Amino acid sequence: MAAILFFSVMSQKKIVMLMAYLKLMGVDSLPERKIYDIIPDSTPHHVCAVLDSSLIYRENDTRDGNIRMNDLVAESCRKCCNKNQAVEMIKNSHEHLENIFDGTLNVSLLMLSDTHFSEETGREILKNLLDGKQYLFLERLWQYEQIGYLNSSLKESHSNNQYFNYCYLNSLLQLGQYRRAYSELARLEEIDSALPTLRPTENMNAEDFDMLFLIIDLHHLSNRFSFAISEIDAFLQHLPKVFKNQIQEAKLLYLKAHILKHQGSDLLLADNILRGLDKNTNIQNLELQMKILYSRIAIYLFWDTSFDYEASFNRIDTLAKEIGESPVIMHAQRHRAIYTLKKLQDIESALTIVNNALRSLEKTQYRIIYDLYFEKAELLRIKSYAAENQNRKVKNEILSLYNQAIAFADENGDLNLRTMSQLGKILTLHQFHDIIQSEQLNEVQKIMTDLSDEAHNHVLSINYACACYVENLLRGGEIDQNQTRYWEKMQYADLAHAAQHGGPVKLTVM
């Protein structure tokens, strides 16, 4: 009897250990049947005993469903379990778990184990994860480190320590966690000697450049647009000879053009930079080539002027086949949807493009998903403008999509996306005659304040111009002719057209 009780308790402990460590490895739920495959001596009775202790729970009440474990419970349970035993148990169950891990099971187990590996192996692992866009996994490695579980071999050398920091920060950027990335950078600058100097030197290597470029990009993503451009200009002025006319110089120039697009006050300069990059045959990076193409498309669509859109999208399609799955392809799809709306006048096909992209992004969780929530809201708002019957259900869907974009933008300090989404909400409420003028006017005034710096310069000129348009719409007055002429001069085509001819204005997160 005692032996039976002992083995029953051991089986229950194995179940708890399995779920606690799978949770750490990014597996939130496990089909109950797999527990019996992984732990052959376990039975439904053992699972029920653990369920009764509230350490695990079923997603539904049937044994056909998945078993889950709460984050805090998993953390507490790991403190009472032997890590090496857990790693060995999961390792021995490779065939039952491989499909759940999407090819990262072996690396995950190695990172949790005490097995020593060389500096070269560690570098290769990190590079493969970054090249494979395993951003969530790289973030998880940081979590391993925080709780003291990360295999010490990975960061044994100064070089690998710096590269790990770069991979981690880069992953946060790709996942859209800008504020967290910025605070992590500040922490690393205080405690980590592995960060390079903030000014380029002739003997800097490609990895030093990548970290410096990431830091500048973080300034851009934290709305320090003018500062980021000044840093780029300083970098370009002192760029080591080895990087001139190479991918490093091209990345700096592209980022400058990208920031100029955000600012919106000199789109011509942005396009001139992009045109030069497009002609540069030394740029072999396919993703950068695609970014250059869709950035030019975005500018010309905003200007509503002639451009060889079809040839550019054909080049994008060719690049996409070579690149494979990547956030840049989803960015290109966003611009394709806008092109389909504006140039082909086909709002239904534009919605199909956005919906297909969203289905893909809901799996990968790339940051661009929030831009596409915004674009879907815009398309639905414009579509409903011409509808004979104002559907309240559609209104709620539109507002929900804007709110999702705003929630992300608030959390990460994305001023561009937040202010345009807020203006989209106000236009939706106005369109559905659901406006409280004083409240919405106050909100527009706050948006305009947020878009102005201490010297009262407009941080994002396009956003500020859209806020002026919405304010005037709420007040019910005609647009001042000087304002319209200014928009025409700046080639803010959507605003100028709406001011002269009415109709819904398409907001643009540039």
Side-chain angles (χ1 to χ4, degrees), residues 270-382:
D271 184 56
N272 285 339
I273 293 171
L274 293 167
R275 184 189 297 112
L277 289 171
D278 195 23
K279 292 178 180 177
N280 188 341
T281 56
N282 286 333
I283 299 176
Q284 301 298 314
N285 185 294
L286 301 182
E287 292 194 355
L288 182 56
Q289 288 180 31
M290 185 178 285
K291 288 179 179 180
I292 293 164
L293 285 169
Y294 69 59
S295 295
R296 294 200 73 199
I297 288 170
I299 290 172
Y300 281 86
L301 284 173
F302 184 73
W303 283 341
D304 193 23
T305 191
S306 59
F307 185 71
D308 199 343
Y309 298 104
E310 189 173 337
S312 295
F313 279 120
N314 286 338
R315 288 174 62 193
I316 283 172
D317 290 340
T318 300
L319 289 168
K321 290 174 184 176
E322 297 184 61
I323 292 170
E325 184 184 293
S326 171
V328 297
I329 294 174
M330 296 296 106
H331 279 279
Q333 289 298 87
R334 173 184 163 229
H335 297 297
R336 190 188 296 272
I338 298 170
Y339 165 77
T340 304
L341 170 71
K342 287 189 168 186
K343 293 301 181 181
L344 303 184
Q345 301 291 304
D346 187 349
I347 197 165
E348 293 300 335
S349 293
L351 275 166
T352 298
I353 292 168
V354 169
N355 284 329
N356 289 340
L358 283 171
R359 274 192 288 273
S360 174
L361 286 165
E362 278 159 5
K363 298 176 185 176
T364 60
Q365 288 300 302
Y366 294 142
R367 171 251 177 274
I368 181 63
I369 191 172
Y370 299 99
D371 288 53
L372 281 159
Y373 285 145
F374 168 82
E375 294 300 345
K376 183 173 181 179
E378 281 289 287
L379 290 170
L380 291 175
R381 177 177 64 81
I382 292 168

Side-chain angles (χ1 to χ4, degrees), residues 94-270:
H94 189 283
E95 71 273 17
H96 301 302
L97 291 169
E98 181 59 35
N99 63 322
I100 295 175
F101 277 85
D102 190 28
T104 61
L105 176 57
N106 288 336
V107 176
S108 192
L109 289 169
L110 179 62
M111 292 301 104
L112 285 171
S113 75
D114 296 326
T115 304
H116 186 269
F117 52 83
S118 68
E119 177 182 346
E120 292 75 18
T121 299
R123 174 58 59 97
E124 184 180 359
I125 288 170
L126 289 171
K127 185 178 186 306
N128 288 340
L129 289 170
L130 193 62
D131 290 347
K133 300 176 176 58
Q134 294 282 357
Y135 306 126
L136 289 170
F137 188 84
L138 283 162
E139 182 194 14
R140 197 174 305 125
L141 291 186
W142 175 83
Q143 294 172 3
Y144 291 178
E145 183 185 31
Q146 298 311 295
I147 58 176
Y149 282 10
L150 182 66
N151 192 316
S152 59
S153 302
L154 187 66
K155 297 184 67 178
E156 230 169 25
S157 70
H158 174 91
S159 176
N160 275 10
N161 189 24
Q162 176 176 317
Y163 192 53
F164 176 85
N165 291 336
Y166 169 74
C167 291
Y168 168 54
L169 290 171
N170 196 350
S171 295
L172 292 182
L173 294 194
Q174 297 299 332
L175 294 169
Q177 299 182 32
Y178 307 146
R179 280 187 174 162
R180 182 177 164 195
Y182 202 82
S183 64
E184 284 297 315
L185 175 65
R187 181 182 66 85
L188 288 170
E189 286 176 335
E190 287 181 11
I191 66 171
D192 201 332
S193 60
L195 287 177
T197 174
L198 292 178
R199 279 286 172 263
T201 59
E202 279 298 331
N203 62 351
M204 75 182 299
N205 58 31
E207 288 177 10
D208 287 338
F209 172 89
D210 287 341
M211 180 60 87
L212 279 178
F213 181 83
L214 184 145
I215 292 170
I216 294 172
D217 200 15
L218 263 177
H219 287 303
H220 142 241
L221 294 168
S222 303
N223 305 315
R224 298 169 176 87
F225 304 116
S226 296
F227 179 75
I229 285 182
S230 67
E231 288 290 287
I232 291 170
D233 288 340
F235 207 154
L236 287 167
Q237 187 177 353
H238 301 285
L239 192 68
K241 293 177 183 177
V242 69
F243 295 146
K244 287 191 180 294
N245 207 27
Q246 299 297 322
I247 184 64
Q248 288 83 3
E249 184 176 37
K251 285 175 71 175
L252 285 166
L253 288 168
Y254 174 78
L255 183 57
K256 180 175 181 177
H258 179 79
I259 297 170
L260 287 168
K261 277 175 59 216
H262 285 332
Q263 291 179 311
S265 55
D266 200 344
L267 293 177
L268 185 60
L269 175 57

